[in-house]
């Protein structure tokens, strides 16, 4: 079932055209991993999907509803699209529990006791039930990112967008976040992930999208891209990234 | 003897201090809400609202307090001195408080707003639930400064006839023909000092009480 359709997205900042017409689709339950050199517009593309950054041109549909339509009730749509940031962006004045609960109470309008129950369940899911009362500054980067995933999950989203979720983490903390993401992918959560974690991509990606200079250069299942990339740039980039990050075989699946 | 007079008039002076506190409470609250609105307009508003906020700030920070008092007192028909003082000093305080709040709001990482919007919160909800609770905590320090200076500035209201502490002191000084003016004003100074200090201690306690774990005001022993 088609869940997300992104069509011909363009975005320009000043003189710099960051996105030059990007289109792709995501089926329900799929995991797509977007890779590419920095400054290629991957993060901008993710933000265009939930209109945190409004695209200059192009359209986005979520289950047939046009997100980019100016009359769309954007807050309602955003509540159905989880977003996980590179630097977590947990609300610093709230405990882990409140971070996960606040969307349920303030956006979905649930009663506090029901919201608490749901929030605790999501914290449990990311293995942080015992940290419910800790504030973000008291948590490690990996724990903060897991709370932010729980915050996205609590909203029961139709898909979750991950913007380089492990790039701000110390190497030894990356694993715990990837483990959570892998189990989500296996449970059938629809995910679009900007990441250079090739171990993760190999393990769960249904498709890898390679972007450069604001366009999609090549896309296909991991096996195809790793073994027989069509485009020389894809091959070059994958080689480079494998040297830098390793093949990621250490990732538990 | 002047000391006897002072002792007898102490309740009268204390009542004056109470009037000063009432005035302070009235206009600093007005300043709080208007100042917060101005700060939000300045940071999040469109071009028109931003311009409006800037003009407001420029006017009320650029005109001397005494002149503002006269403008409101003589400019509005049949206004009581207390109301005129509340409005004049309140709007002036709003201009200063808006600067404090603006600084605090701008100090909040932009990711906080992004995350709130990404969750599906509207702009106002995000400001109310996420930005302001953090910004207000940051603002307490600078706000205690504003509190102290406004408490002292309540004495300016005596120029339009609010019978507060200083005005009462002046009455005592005139009926004792200036004998012991120094003592009377000295007692006033002491009263202001005690009030300012008490207010600041309360505000510091508040700052500690609401400190976010991991963002405490200062490390112990530093």
């Amino acid at each position: 079932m088609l869940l997300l359709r992104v069509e011909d997205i363009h975005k320009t900042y000043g003189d710099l055209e960051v996105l030059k017409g990007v289109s792709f689709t995501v089926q329900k339950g799929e995991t797509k991993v977007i890779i590419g050199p920095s400054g290629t517009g991957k993060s901008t593309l993710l933000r265009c999907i939930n209109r945190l950054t409004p695209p200059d041109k192009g359209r986005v549909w979520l289950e047939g509803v046009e997100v980019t339509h100016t009359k769309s009730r954007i807050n309602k749509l955003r509540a159905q699209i989880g977003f996980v940031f590179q630097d977590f962006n947990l609300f610093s004045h709230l405990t882990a529990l409140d971070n996960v609960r606040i969307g349920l109470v303030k956006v979905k309008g649930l009663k506090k006791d029901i919201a608490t129950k749901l929030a605790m369940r999501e914290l449990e899911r990311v293995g942080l039930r015992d940290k419910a009362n800790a504030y973000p500054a008291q948590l490690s980067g990996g724990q903060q990112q897991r709370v932010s995933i729980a915050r996205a999950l609590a909203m029961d989203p139709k898909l979750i967008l991950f913007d380089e979720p492990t790039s701000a983490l110390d190497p030894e903390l990356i694993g715990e976040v990837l483990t959570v993401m892998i189990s989500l992918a296996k449970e059938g959560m629809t995910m679009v992930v900007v990441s250079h974690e090739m171990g993760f991509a190999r393990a769960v990606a249904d498709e890898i999208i390679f972007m450069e200079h604001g366009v999609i250069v090549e896309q296909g299942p991991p096996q195809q891209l790793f073994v027989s990339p069509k485009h020389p740039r894809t091959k070059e980039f994958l080689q480079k990234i494998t040297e830098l990050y390793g093949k990621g075989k250490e990732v538990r699946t | 003897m002047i000391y006897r007079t002072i002792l007898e008039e102490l309740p009268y002076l204390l009542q004056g201090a109470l009037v000063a506190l009432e005035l302070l409470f009235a206009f600093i609250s007005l300043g709080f809400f208007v100042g917060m609105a101005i700060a939000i307009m300045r940071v999040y508003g469109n071009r028109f609202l931003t311009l409006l906020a800037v003009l407001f700030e420029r006017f009320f920070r650029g005109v001397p307090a005494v002149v503002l008092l006269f403008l409101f007192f003589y400019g509005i028909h049949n206004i009581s001195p207390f109301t005129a003082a509340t409005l004049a000093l309140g709007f002036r305080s709003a201009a200063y408080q808006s600067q404090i709040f603006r600084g605090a709001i701008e100090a909040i990482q932009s990711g906080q707003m992004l995350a709130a919007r990404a969750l599906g919160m509207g702009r106002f909800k995000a400001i109310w639930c996420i930005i302001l609770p953090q910004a207000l905590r940051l603002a307490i320090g600078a706000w205690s400064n504003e509190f102290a200076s406004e408490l002292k500035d309540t004495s300016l209201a005596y120029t339009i006839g609010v019978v507060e502490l200083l005005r009462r002191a002046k009455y005592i000084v005139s009926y004792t023909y200036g004998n012991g003016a120094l003592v009377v004003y000295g007692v006033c100074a002491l009263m202001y000092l005690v009030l300012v200090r008490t207010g600041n201690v309360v505000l510091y306690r508040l700052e500690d009480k609401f400190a976010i774990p991991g963002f405490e005001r200062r490390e112990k022993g530093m």
Side-chain angles (χ1 to χ4, degrees):
Chain A
M1 191 191 107
L2 182 65
L3 185 81
L4 180 76
R5 197 165 127 199
V6 175
E7 198 180 274
D8 197 30
I9 295 290
H10 287 256
K11 182 71 193 179
T12 304
Y13 288 113
D15 290 335
L16 187 68
E17 196 177 7
V18 182
L19 295 173
K20 301 170 183 165
V22 177
S23 309
F24 66 95
T25 57
V26 182
Q27 304 290 322
K28 195 170 187 310
E30 259 190 331
T31 297
K32 297 238 167 175
V33 174
I34 303 176
I35 60 172
S38 54
T40 301
K42 307 178 301 284
S43 297
T44 308
L45 175 64
L46 277 198
R47 289 179 185 200
C48 281
I49 292 174
N50 71 349
R51 254 171 72 188
L52 276 183
T53 298
D56 297 333
K57 199 186 143 203
R59 303 204 272 180
V60 175
W61 285 270
L62 180 69
E63 281 190 331
V65 179
E66 194 185 336
V67 180
T68 39
H69 195 281
T70 44
K71 284 193 180 132
S72 289
R73 296 170 67 183
I74 189 64
N75 293 330
K76 212 154 201 186
L77 285 165
R78 283 196 189 128
Q80 301 169 24
I81 305 174
F83 202 104
V84 174
F85 295 87
Q86 181 177 348
D87 36 11
F88 334 130
N89 289 336
L90 288 182
F91 305 127
S92 356
H93 64 304
L94 299 177
T95 60
L97 174 62
D98 277 324
N99 262 282
V100 180
R101 189 167 54 182
I102 192 165
L104 295 172
V105 176
K106 300 290 180 186
V107 178
K108 285 196 154 179
L110 295 187
K111 288 224 176 67
K112 204 163 180 186
D113 52 334
I114 299 171
T116 306
K117 220 175 266 171
L118 289 173
M120 285 307 287
R121 203 182 64 190
E122 298 306 341
L123 280 174
E124 174 106 64
R125 200 161 159 193
V126 299
L128 288 173
R129 200 186 165 87
D130 56 326
K131 295 284 182 191
N133 293 316
Y135 284 84
Q138 298 168 320
L139 297 171
S140 73
Q143 291 170 332
Q144 288 189 56
Q145 193 60 296
R146 280 146 69 198
V147 173
S148 99
I149 293 172
R151 174 172 71 179
L153 285 171
M155 299 296 284
D156 192 21
K158 294 195 166 120
L159 86 158
I160 303 183
L161 309 172
F162 292 82
D163 187 6
E164 304 206 33
T166 56
S167 298
L169 296 175
D170 290 338
E172 70 264 30
L173 301 178
I174 291 175
E176 64 186 62
V177 172
L178 289 181
T179 307
V180 169
M181 289 172 62
I182 287 167
S183 69
L184 286 183
K186 295 201 157 163
E187 286 163 25
M189 174 58 74
T190 313
M191 300 160 51
V192 178
V193 184
V194 171
S195 174
H196 289 157
E197 293 296 334
M198 289 303 115
F200 172 78
R202 277 171 194 270
V204 295
D206 295 290
E207 189 175 65
I208 293 177
I209 296 176
F210 173 54
M211 271 180 76
E212 190 168 44
H213 304 311
V215 293
I216 292 177
V217 176
E218 186 170 351
Q219 62 192 105
Q223 214 47 31
Q224 182 192 315
L225 255 75
F226 279 108
V227 179
S228 52
K230 290 195 189 86
H231 203 282
R233 271 300 293 152
T234 315
K235 192 175 175 182
E236 209 179 316
F237 183 79
L238 281 173
Q239 254 167 17
K240 217 182 265 171
I241 212 163
T242 313
E243 280 167 26
L244 273 172
Y245 292 83
K247 291 192 168 151
K249 273 182 183 154
E250 72 277 10
V251 169
R252 284 177 288 140
T253 59
Chain B
M1 268 308 283
I2 185 65
Y3 292 104
R4 217 181 130 167
T5 315
I6 282 279
L7 216 60
E8 279 168 11
E9 298 291 5
L10 206 58
Y12 180 69
L13 280 180
L14 283 173
Q15 263 173 23
L18 204 66
V19 173
L21 283 180
E22 276 168 24
L23 177 63
L24 175 72
F25 181 76
F27 84 74
I28 216 166
S29 310
L30 176 68
F32 181 89
F33 292 110
V34 176
M36 183 60 80
I38 297 282
I40 290 171
M41 276 160 69
R42 184 83 197 263
V43 180
Y44 298 108
N46 57 25
R47 209 180 291 168
F48 174 71
L49 288 177
T50 308
L51 182 72
L52 217 62
V54 170
L55 289 178
F56 182 94
E57 269 169 36
R58 295 233 172 112
F59 180 75
F60 282 99
R61 294 205 305 154
V63 176
V66 177
V67 177
L68 288 174
L69 285 165
F70 290 156
L71 283 176
F72 275 85
F73 186 57
Y74 295 108
I76 301 171
H77 189 59
N78 267 342
I79 195 168
S80 76
F82 190 90
T83 311
T86 302
L87 292 178
L89 298 177
F91 286 136
R92 188 179 76 122
S93 179
Y96 284 102
Q97 290 191 49
S98 78
Q99 296 288 82
I100 295 171
F101 296 142
R102 178 165 72 100
I105 289 171
E106 282 174 346
I108 308 294
Q109 285 182 347
S110 60
Q112 298 284 308
M113 184 56 140
L114 273 181
R117 297 308 303 276
L119 264 185
M121 287 189 194
R123 216 154 192 227
F124 281 103
K125 203 176 269 178
I127 293 173
W128 183 252
C129 298
I130 304 300
I131 305 297
L132 289 191
Q134 296 183 54
L136 282 173
R137 285 172 165 93
L138 284 181
I140 297 176
W143 200 86
S144 70
N145 210 16
E146 167 70 6
F147 165 83
S149 96
E150 295 296 2
L151 173 59
K152 289 175 286 176
D153 283 357
T154 55
S155 57
L156 295 171
Y158 114 104
T159 55
I160 55 170
V162 177
V163 190
E164 41 66 72
L165 179 55
L166 194 66
R167 182 109 187 162
R168 289 174 187 229
K170 182 103 171 91
Y171 287 157
I172 297 173
V173 169
S174 33
Y175 84 69
T176 55
Y177 306 107
N179 294 325
L182 198 63
V183 180
V184 177
Y185 289 130
V187 170
C188 280
L190 206 65
M191 284 184 177
Y192 282 118
L193 202 63
V194 168
L195 290 177
V196 166
R197 192 62 213 147
T198 310
N200 276 350
V201 167
V202 170
L203 286 168
Y204 291 148
R205 292 244 170 97
L206 218 64
E207 197 175 12
D208 283 337
K209 182 170 151 48
F210 286 108
I212 299 164
F215 292 87
E216 284 87 356
R217 183 154 58 98
R218 52 187 166 231
E219 294 291 326
K220 293 263 183 321
M222 265 182 74

